Amino acid sequence: MMTVNEVSKLTGVSVRSLHHYDAIGLLKPAKVTDAGYRLYGEEELKRLQNILMFRELQFPLKQIKAILDSAEFDPNEALRQQIELLELQLKHTQELILFARRLQEKGVNEMGFEVFDKKEMAQYAKEVSERWGNTNAYKEFQQKTKDRTDEEQGKIGQQLMSLFVEMGQLRELEPTDPSIQEKIAGLQKYITENYYHCTIEILSGLGQIYVCDERMKNNIDAAGGEGTAQFVSQAISVYCSKTQK
């Protein structure tokens, strides 16, 4: 067994972070002594290693918890997916280095923005999240929609898009504005009532999809006006960060 200080020295994770992981249920110690000292065993260190790997890939803590706590979680498959994501990340970094060297050689006026495109990484990260984190949500979605007619499903979809229309009309406001945050709360409620229980983790993921998925982004912008998808995504990020505190 290792104390929290020993785990911190071994892994580089601060004691404060380890305490936070315990508080949110992400990484509980194997036992707590009568004196209140947290002790960690081999299983806890294995879980911490997975946590750190997903953190390197920019997964939010609550999303990591959902993935690791999934009944279908397979460490071997997760490792394969992590490797693929890391390879995509490496490829992206290498392309940025080559682009920077071209700028150095040809001058800073050289233009090129495709190198900053992270859609491939974002899409794969979304698929990993859906594979492990949203299993129950997908089952709930199937249950809620199985008896709906195409017409009924279409109306629900139209009403959802009308929420984006309303937010698009308020784009001149800051994403932090209370009226915008109220709209995000309404969006979360609507998704829960008509699709699946929209947790903060799922809502946060949707906010990323709204800008990373080109088709989704175009649909939202078509409904609410150019820039609505980005605006809604930013507002969701604000809403989730406040709710998680």
Side-chain angles (χ1 to χ4, degrees):
M1 291 285 184
M2 299 179 69
T3 66
V4 69
N5 284 310
E6 289 171 335
V7 172
S8 177
K9 289 177 182 178
L10 175 68
T11 64
V13 179
S14 69
V15 171
R16 182 178 179 180
S17 292
L18 290 170
H19 287 176
H20 179 60
Y21 291 174
D22 182 10
I24 65 175
L26 177 60
L27 180 68
K28 305 294 290 184
K31 63 180 292 186
V32 179
T33 68
D34 293 339
Y37 293 106
R38 297 171 172 84
L39 297 177
Y40 298 82
E42 184 177 345
E43 289 304 312
E44 289 70 40
L45 290 177
K46 286 180 182 178
R47 184 175 173 97
L48 178 56
Q49 183 170 269
N50 258 313
I51 291 168
L52 296 179
M53 186 72 81
F54 279 117
R55 285 298 285 161
E56 284 293 324
L57 295 167
Q58 308 302 312
F59 279 70
L61 292 180
K62 287 197 173 183
Q63 199 170 16
I64 295 172
K65 184 178 185 301
I67 291 171
L68 297 182
D69 289 346
S70 169
E72 298 181 14
F73 179 69
D74 181 344
N76 291 322
E77 185 178 349
L79 182 59
R80 179 188 62 77
Q81 292 171 327
Q82 289 166 345
I83 290 170
E84 289 192 38
L85 271 170
L86 287 167
E87 287 175 342
L88 287 172
Q89 196 174 72
L90 176 61
K91 176 186 172 186
H92 178 69
T93 301
Q94 289 172 333
E95 288 172 349
L96 283 172
I97 292 171
L98 288 173
F99 177 67
R101 284 177 175 163
R102 283 202 308 273
L103 286 180
Q104 192 176 47
E105 292 171 3
K106 298 182 179 181
V108 294
N109 292 325
E110 179 79 6
M111 298 290 283
F113 296 96
E114 66 280 354
V115 70
F116 301 106
D117 188 347
K118 293 185 178 181
K119 285 198 293 290
E120 187 178 10
M121 281 192 293
Q123 177 61 27
Y124 194 83
K126 170 177 169 283
E127 291 171 5
V128 171
S129 176
E130 288 175 345
R131 170 66 181 90
W132 302 115
N134 296 338
T135 302
N136 291 333
Y138 182 67
K139 289 178 181 177
E140 186 179 354
F141 171 76
Q142 287 182 311
Q143 185 65 30
K144 283 190 174 183
T145 59
K146 67 177 183 177
D147 295 324
R148 288 178 188 164
T149 64
D150 290 343
E151 182 180 0
E152 288 171 336
Q153 191 61 34
K155 285 182 179 179
I156 289 172
Q158 289 172 4
Q159 289 168 354
L160 175 63
M161 295 311 293
S162 71
L163 297 178
F164 294 118
V165 172
E166 293 173 7
M167 285 186 273
Q169 293 170 344
L170 300 172
R171 293 198 310 282
E172 74 279 1
L173 299 177
E174 291 295 323
T176 55
D177 190 279
S179 62
I180 298 299
Q181 291 299 296
E182 186 177 341
K183 294 288 186 187
I184 298 300
L187 174 65
Q188 182 184 27
K189 181 181 179 182
Y190 187 84
I191 293 171
T192 294
E193 290 175 348
N194 293 281
Y195 294 98
Y196 44 75
H197 180 52
C198 186
T199 63
I200 287 299
E201 296 91 338
I202 292 176
L203 183 63
S204 177
L206 287 174
Q208 296 173 33
I209 292 170
Y210 291 164
V211 290
C212 293
D213 186 305
E214 200 65 29
R215 184 177 58 180
M216 181 70 77
K217 178 179 179 295
N218 290 339
N219 286 340
I220 294 174
D221 282 352
E226 188 69 29
T228 298
Q230 182 67 40
F231 178 71
V232 172
S233 179
Q234 291 171 343
I236 288 175
S237 179
V238 172
Y239 179 85
C240 291
S241 64
K242 287 183 177 179
T243 306
Q244 287 174 334
K245 287 181 180 179

